[in-house]
Amino acid sequence: MAADVRSLVVEADGGSRGNPGPAGYGAVVKDARGDTLAEVAEFIGKATNNVAEYRGLVAGLRAAYDLDPTARVRVRMDSKLVVEQMSGRWKIKHPDMRPLAAQAQRVYPADAVSYEWIPRERNKHADRLANEAMDAGRRGEQWSPGASTAELAATPQPEPQPAAEPA
């Protein structure tokens, strides 16, 4: 890999309140240092959790591509199904997932993207975006980046230190 190739991280999540039910996704693109470069989220109507997860993946990859079409991308998701299927270790059996996987595969060349499963606790930023999108959909609105608190909510805050004892 050439030294001048940019590395990006896509963290994506999707959810459904009911399965299927009102669904949405969220994705965040970060640089190699972990700084947020882009956030995307959308309420997608009635869908399954898996469809929402795949839609989040596609949106995250497209957001990364918009920033740098030549980047190497590490996708981090808490969906073992999506990670294993996109890594080629599991077959994509469900007919609704195949076109979504194909969309994701068309964004970047296969050798430019790697997939990593992460525990849900480490995917809070994308999870919050997905929930914000579902909340907006419940109100009859679409998600708005200006109203998002996802990055703030996902950033670990320092623990308060106890006050020093008076001398």
Side-chain angles (χ1 to χ4, degrees):
M1 180 172 81
D4 59 345
V5 175
R6 187 177 191 187
S7 292
L8 298 175
V9 174
V10 169
E11 294 175 354
D13 200 12
S16 174
R17 295 180 177 157
N19 197 20
Y25 66 76
V28 58
V29 181
K30 298 180 179 184
D31 64 17
R33 294 184 326 187
D35 294 331
T36 298
L37 303 176
E39 293 178 323
V40 292
E42 184 180 3
F43 175 70
I44 59 173
K46 186 176 180 180
T48 65
N49 284 325
N50 293 336
V51 165
E53 293 274 9
Y54 264 104
R55 293 276 307 267
L57 168 63
V58 171
L61 287 170
R62 287 181 177 158
Y65 188 88
D66 288 346
L67 291 167
D68 188 343
T70 65
R72 298 208 37 94
V73 180
R74 184 172 52 147
V75 174
R76 300 168 33 133
M77 296 181 71
D78 61 23
S79 170
K80 188 141 183 95
L81 176 81
V82 173
V83 167
E84 295 298 321
Q85 288 179 339
M86 293 303 296
S87 296
R89 292 184 289 268
W90 293 359
K91 290 185 186 221
I92 303 171
K93 296 178 183 176
H94 197 285
D96 291 348
M97 302 305 120
R98 287 189 195 120
L100 293 168
Q103 285 177 29
Q105 291 166 336
R106 285 192 298 266
V107 178
Y108 278 99
D111 65 348
V113 182
S114 63
Y115 292 88
E116 174 188 353
W117 178 84
I118 57 173
R120 187 170 185 205
E121 314 72 75
R122 291 183 42 214
N123 203 25
K124 288 184 179 183
H125 192 155
D127 178 68
R128 178 77 177 156
L129 289 167
N131 278 292
E132 286 180 2
M134 287 184 277
D135 291 345
R138 186 178 58 223
R139 296 188 304 271
E141 303 167 358
Q142 274 297 340
W143 175 83
S144 166
S148 178
T149 61
E151 184 172 20
L152 179 63
T155 304
Q157 300 299 315
E159 292 293 320
Q161 298 300 314
E165 293 285 324

